[in-house]
Amino acid sequence: MSKPGDIENNVLFGEDGWLFLWKGGHAQFDHLTGIISPAPKSVQSFVANLESRREICDARGVPYVHVVYPSKPVVMSRFLPEGIRREVRSLFERHYSHALNPETTTVLYPRQALIEASMAEQVFSIQDTHMTHIGNAIVAQKILDILGNDHNIQACMKADTRLGGGDLANMLESPTKLPQTYLTPCPDSFKIFNNRIFLPSNTDNIIVAHNPLSASSRRLLALGDSFLGGAISPLLTFYRDILFVRSPSFQPDLLYLFAPDDVVTANAERYLSQVYPDSTGGSVVMRFYGRDDYKPTAEFTAALQAQLSARSYPTVYEKWAAQIAAITFEKMGAAQLNSQLRNVTSAPEWLESTGHDPHITFSNVSMEDGRDYQLRICMESTVEGVAQLFLGRDNMPFTEAFSVRKPICVGLNEMVFDLEAEGRGRRLRFDPLNVSGRLRLVTVELVPLA
C-alpha cells in the first residue's frame, strides 16, 4: 500500500490520495526545489521572446498576453508530502518573474487565483497533471479579463459530475475513477476540428474551433501547449473563432493569415526548465506539406483553409461559416450530419440528401428534466418525401418505437413535434427526407411548455 512520499512509475504520492508528476521530461521537482536551475540563456530567451511578441502585436493593434500555467505542486502544495512541501517554490517566481519588464511584457501567472479557488472547488484533478474544467474556466476568465473583454464564462456553461481517471492514474495502472465536475457549453453549439488523431504525437497539433452562437464575433489566435488547449472550450463561449497551434514558438505569419482580434501564447510552468528563442522555430503553415504520414480529413482541411483565408479571401471563410450556421440553432446546438447529407457548395444554407436515410443529430439539447417541450421545424424541400424525428433515450440507440413521421411537400413545410418529459433524453435525431433531394432548415425552435 503506497503512502505519502512514495514514488512509483514517476508518480509522487501526496496526502489524501493526491498524485503528482515526479520528474518527467523536465525534472519537475528538481526545478521546483532548487536542485536544478534553468540556464541564464533560458531566462534571456523567455524575456526576449515575450518582448518581441508584444512588439509585433502592438504594431498590428492586437491585444496580447502570455500565460504561464502554474504547475500542480505549487497550487496544490498543501497536499504534497510533508517532507518536500517546504522546499517547493514556483519555478516562474524563483527565476523568471523578476527579469520581466511590465512596460514591455504582459504576463498572466494565475497561481494565487487558483489557490484561492481551490479552497472551495477542485481546480486540479487529483489523478491528473492537468487542471479540471473548473480550473480551465478560471484561467480562461483571467485571459478574457486581461485582454479587456467583458464576458462571464461560467454563466454560459452548465456543470455536471462524472467519474474520471487521469494520466497519473494511468501511469500507475490504477483503475480508480473519482467524481469530477465537467463544464459543457449551453447550448453546445461548438464545432471543433482537430488534427490530433492524424498525428503520431501531439507535436504539430492544430485545432480549429468555431461557435456560431458565441457572445462576440472576435477571433483568437492561441499558441501553446495542452494547458492552453484545455481553455479552448470556455474561451469559445466568447470567441467566434479560435485557431490553436501547439507550438512553443511564436507564429507571426498566422497574424496575417488568420487575422485575429486577440492573441494569447502560453506554456506550462515545467517547460520553463529550458526556453529556446522564437528564432529557432518555423512556420506551421508548410510543416505538413509532402508528408506521407499525415492525412487529415477533408472536413479538417476545409476548416483550416477557411480560417487562414479570413483576411485575403473572406468569401471562403464566409461560405464555410454559413454552412455551419445553417445547422446550428439556439438551445439545440450544432448538428452532426451523417454521410448521406452534404453541404451544397453554391448555396451554403442548403443541404443535399444523397440517399434514403440522411440523419441530422443533436447530441445535447438544452431541455430541463421533467419539462415538456415542442420542437417546431420549418424546412424547405425540393422534393416530396417523409421526415422522421427520433427521440433518444439516455444511453440507448434511436428506435422506430420512439419516433414520429411527418409528410414533406415541395416548398416550405411547418412541423411540430411534442417532446414529453417522461422517458425522454437530451438526444434528438431528425431524418429530414427519405429520398434524394435538397433541403434547407429555415428555423428549428425548441419551445418550453407550461
Side-chain angles (χ1 to χ4, degrees):
M1 182 72 178
S2 300
K3 60 184 184 300
D6 288 348
I7 300 170
E8 297 179 16
N9 294 342
N10 206 26
V11 176
L12 170 67
F13 285 81
E15 304 287 347
D16 297 340
W18 280 79
L19 303 177
F20 300 88
L21 178 67
W22 178 238
K23 286 186 179 292
H26 302 86
Q28 175 173 240
F29 274 94
D30 286 347
H31 284 89
L32 293 177
T33 57
I35 295 174
I36 299 177
S37 297
K41 188 174 291 186
S42 282
V43 178
Q44 295 165 9
S45 295
F46 183 72
V47 174
N49 287 347
L50 299 196
E51 289 182 344
S52 174
R53 296 173 188 182
R54 167 82 174 269
E55 185 178 352
I56 291 170
C57 291
D58 283 352
R60 289 161 174 77
V62 179
Y64 165 70
V65 63
H66 181 82
V67 185
V68 176
Y69 276 86
S71 64
K72 184 178 178 179
V74 303
V75 174
M76 309 307 302
S77 56
R78 64 188 184 275
F79 294 107
L80 289 170
E82 187 175 356
I84 199 174
R85 193 179 305 156
R86 289 186 295 272
E87 306 297 323
V88 167
R89 283 182 55 200
S90 160
L91 173 58
F92 173 73
E93 293 176 341
R94 191 194 291 261
H95 293 288
Y96 286 88
S97 60
H98 66 277
L100 295 169
N101 181 353
E103 297 293 325
T104 56
T105 57
T106 305
V107 179
L108 171 63
Y109 182 64
R111 180 191 176 202
Q112 192 57 42
L114 290 169
I115 290 174
E116 292 172 4
S118 73
M119 299 301 174
E121 300 180 283
Q122 193 171 312
V123 299
F124 270 91
S125 172
I126 293 175
Q127 300 188 108
D128 199 284
T129 313
H130 296 84
M131 293 189 301
T132 61
H133 284 209
I134 295 290
N136 286 330
I138 290 171
V139 177
Q141 186 67 60
K142 293 291 183 184
I143 291 172
L144 285 182
D145 293 345
I146 204 168
L147 289 172
N149 296 310
D150 184 15
H151 174 70
N152 186 337
I153 285 175
Q154 293 199 45
C156 300
M157 307 187 86
K158 57 187 176 185
D160 65 282
T161 302
R162 291 175 252 156
L163 295 177
D167 57 1
L168 300 175
N170 293 338
M171 291 164 65
L172 295 171
E173 298 182 350
S174 169
T176 303
K177 295 187 181 297
L178 300 175
Q180 295 185 33
T181 299
Y182 289 79
L183 297 178
T184 54
C186 184
D188 190 357
S189 55
F190 298 1
K191 293 292 288 185
I192 294 180
F193 308 87
N194 194 336
N195 74 341
R196 175 66 183 86
I197 61 174
F198 312 110
L199 298 169
S201 68
N202 55 22
T203 302
D204 297 331
N205 184 204
I206 297 175
I207 297 175
V208 176
H210 179 74
N211 181 11
L213 302 180
S214 59
S216 80
S217 60
R218 294 180 71 82
R219 299 164 60 79
L220 175 70
L221 175 62
L223 307 169
D225 51 52
S226 57
F227 275 76
L228 181 57
I232 289 176
S233 182
L235 286 171
L236 206 55
T237 63
F238 176 76
Y239 290 102
R240 179 68 45 83
D241 297 285
I242 298 177
L243 177 61
F244 167 81
V245 177
R246 185 182 175 94
S247 174
S249 61
F250 199 50
Q251 302 284 335
D253 49 332
L254 292 181
L255 280 174
Y256 181 83
L257 293 169
F258 180 67
D261 297 293
D262 294 321
V263 175
V264 57
T265 60
N267 64 270
E269 187 168 17
R270 66 177 182 271
Y271 293 147
L272 293 176
S273 60
Q274 190 169 26
V275 180
Y276 296 98
D278 278 345
S279 59
T280 62
S283 172
V284 71
V285 177
M286 295 296 291
R287 193 168 295 168
F288 306 105
Y289 185 79
R291 277 175 51 173
D292 292 333
D293 63 343
Y294 180 66
K295 297 179 181 179
T297 61
E299 186 181 38
F300 172 82
T301 55
L304 183 59
Q305 180 188 21
Q307 292 291 2
L308 296 185
S309 299
R311 182 190 294 273
S312 299
Y313 308 99
T315 302
V316 175
Y317 168 80
E318 289 164 4
K319 283 186 176 180
W320 174 82
Q323 289 175 346
I324 296 176
I327 55 171
T328 305
F329 302 93
E330 192 161 356
K331 297 184 181 179
M332 300 293 293
Q336 292 84 47
L337 309 180
N338 76 341
S339 60
Q340 294 189 29
L341 274 173
R342 65 187 182 195
N343 296 110
V344 179
T345 305
S346 59
E349 294 183 353
W350 285 80
L351 299 171
E352 184 163 5
S353 169
T354 60
H356 66 278
D357 197 25
H359 300 169
I360 300 175
T361 305
F362 297 95
S363 299
N364 190 19
V365 180
S366 296
M367 293 185 286
E368 298 177 18
D369 293 338
R371 187 164 195 172
D372 295 339
Y373 289 83
Q374 277 188 346
L375 181 62
R376 300 173 184 174
I377 298 176
C378 178
M379 185 182 83
E380 187 174 2
S381 175
T382 61
V383 295
E384 294 183 351
V386 175
Q388 190 170 11
L389 181 73
F390 292 83
L391 285 68
R393 307 298 176 97
D394 292 336
N395 302 316
M396 297 291 289
F398 293 110
T399 64
E400 291 283 339
F402 295 101
S403 69
V404 181
R405 295 173 182 266
K406 301 282 185 179
I408 297 297
C409 64
V410 175
L412 290 176
N413 296 265
E414 300 278 355
M415 293 168 274
V416 177
F417 299 95
D418 293 323
L419 307 178
E420 297 181 354
E422 186 176 354
R424 182 203 66 220
R426 296 179 184 236
R427 296 165 54 245
L428 297 173
R429 193 186 94 190
F430 180 58
D431 296 5
L433 288 172
N434 61 345
V435 295
S436 299
R438 290 188 175 183
L439 62 109
R440 179 170 69 99
L441 295 175
V442 181
T443 58
V444 178
E445 185 180 11
L446 185 69
V447 180
L449 302 181

